[in-house]
Amino acid sequence: DGGITQSPKYLFRKEGQNVTLSCEQNLNHDAMYWYRQDPGQGLRLIYYSQIVNDFQKGDIAEGYSVSREKKESFPLTVTSAQKNPTAFYLCASSIHWGTGEAFFGQGTRLTVV
Amino acid sequence: EDQVTQSPEALRLQEGESSSLNCSYTVSGLRGLFWYRQDPGKGPEFLFTLYSAGEEKEKERLKATLTKKESFLHITAPKPEDSATYLCAEISGNTPLVFGKGTRLSVIA
């Protein structure tokens, strides 16, 4: 089955640690996105990639980094510079840039302990 | 200022009690208006795309409409399984999807 897979589902991070969230899609989509969702809030864009080997900062990129070395994969690293990383992280893909029909993964819930 | 504003924040309905959710969007340069459903602890699921004023889309008990200033998600005779957060999103200009904060719908049997 085609889809988008995020792992892990739950992740705990100690203060000062970097952690990497995985996102893989087998939909052959060009564009991929990372969003952050806090309780009672909508989705805020962290980074996006229109095509492989290219990515741009979204509205809240500080303290995060990404790579897009393969079309299928768009991992997100939450660095120690991100002061409030506890949140629900969602990865999405769309067939092309500018397409509003996006497919989302099931999310990773990150908690700082 | 939020580009996409949804109201109400939360809505509680009795089973069978029809209602509407509202989404106000950036008027200039709209390239598409989108509705998603999100269940607790899961990723959003795409529902509808609307491109121009007057357009309507339907799926089971849901109907999405678009005017020149806002979009509505009409829910007819809702059932408890329709309980979820409904998110509105837009693409305008060359921006990626911008989401509203959502309306949390509870349907009580």
Side-chain angles (χ1 to χ4, degrees):
Chain A
D1 287 339
I4 183 163
T5 302
Q6 290 186 242
S7 63
K9 188 171 181 179
Y10 299 98
L11 185 58
F12 297 90
R13 190 193 94 168
K14 293 182 180 179
E15 295 278 355
Q17 273 187 338
N18 293 352
V19 292
T20 297
L21 283 58
S22 171
C23 178
E24 304 277 335
Q25 55 100 356
N26 62 2
L27 299 166
N28 200 33
H29 285 177
D30 284 335
M32 297 188 74
Y33 316 83
W34 275 105
Y35 289 90
R36 169 180 171 144
Q37 188 173 36
D38 294 286
Q41 300 295 313
L43 279 64
R44 292 186 290 166
L45 185 65
I46 305 172
Y47 267 97
Y48 62 96
S49 169
Q50 298 184 36
I51 201 165
V52 65
N53 292 322
D54 178 72
F55 53 83
Q56 284 83 37
K57 294 181 179 180
D59 299 321
I60 56 166
E62 185 175 352
Y64 300 97
S65 66
V66 294
S67 63
R68 186 87 188 277
E69 297 175 0
K70 297 188 298 182
K71 188 175 186 178
E72 307 79 33
S73 180
F74 192 40
L76 174 73
T77 297
V78 184
T79 75
S80 57
Q82 170 49 239
K83 297 307 178 188
N84 185 22
T86 295
F88 189 48
Y89 290 87
L90 287 160
C91 180
S93 69
S94 63
I95 188 164
H96 299 302
W97 170 251
T99 305
E101 182 178 348
F103 292 78
F104 282 82
Q106 292 299 295
T108 293
R109 189 167 300 280
L110 173 63
T111 304
V112 173
V113 296
Chain B
E1 183 179 344
D2 289 347
Q3 294 172 260
V4 180
T5 304
Q6 293 188 245
S7 63
E9 289 185 12
L11 181 62
R12 188 180 173 97
L13 299 173
Q14 293 292 321
E15 184 173 3
E17 180 186 2
S18 300
S19 188
S20 296
L21 283 54
N22 177 270
C23 172
S24 298
Y25 62 87
T26 304
V27 176
S28 61
L30 181 73
R31 292 176 51 210
L33 191 289
F34 310 90
W35 284 96
Y36 285 79
R37 169 187 170 134
Q38 185 177 24
D39 292 305
K42 296 191 176 181
E45 178 183 348
F46 171 78
L47 291 173
F48 301 112
T49 302
L50 300 164
Y51 289 112
S52 56
E55 191 173 0
E56 298 183 351
K57 295 278 180 70
E58 282 190 70
K59 180 180 180 180
E60 296 181 352
R61 295 175 292 281
L62 300 177
K63 183 168 77 173
T65 62
L66 185 66
T67 73
K68 290 183 179 180
K69 295 189 304 182
E70 55 197 345
S71 178
F72 295 94
L73 185 65
H74 307 278
I75 303 175
T76 302
K79 298 182 177 181
E81 54 262 42
D82 295 321
S83 297
T85 295
Y86 290 87
L87 298 165
C88 174
E90 67 165 18
I91 290 180
S92 59
N94 195 33
T95 65
L97 273 171
V98 175
F99 285 85
K101 294 182 178 180
T103 293
R104 191 171 60 256
L105 174 67
S106 301
V107 182
I108 311 303

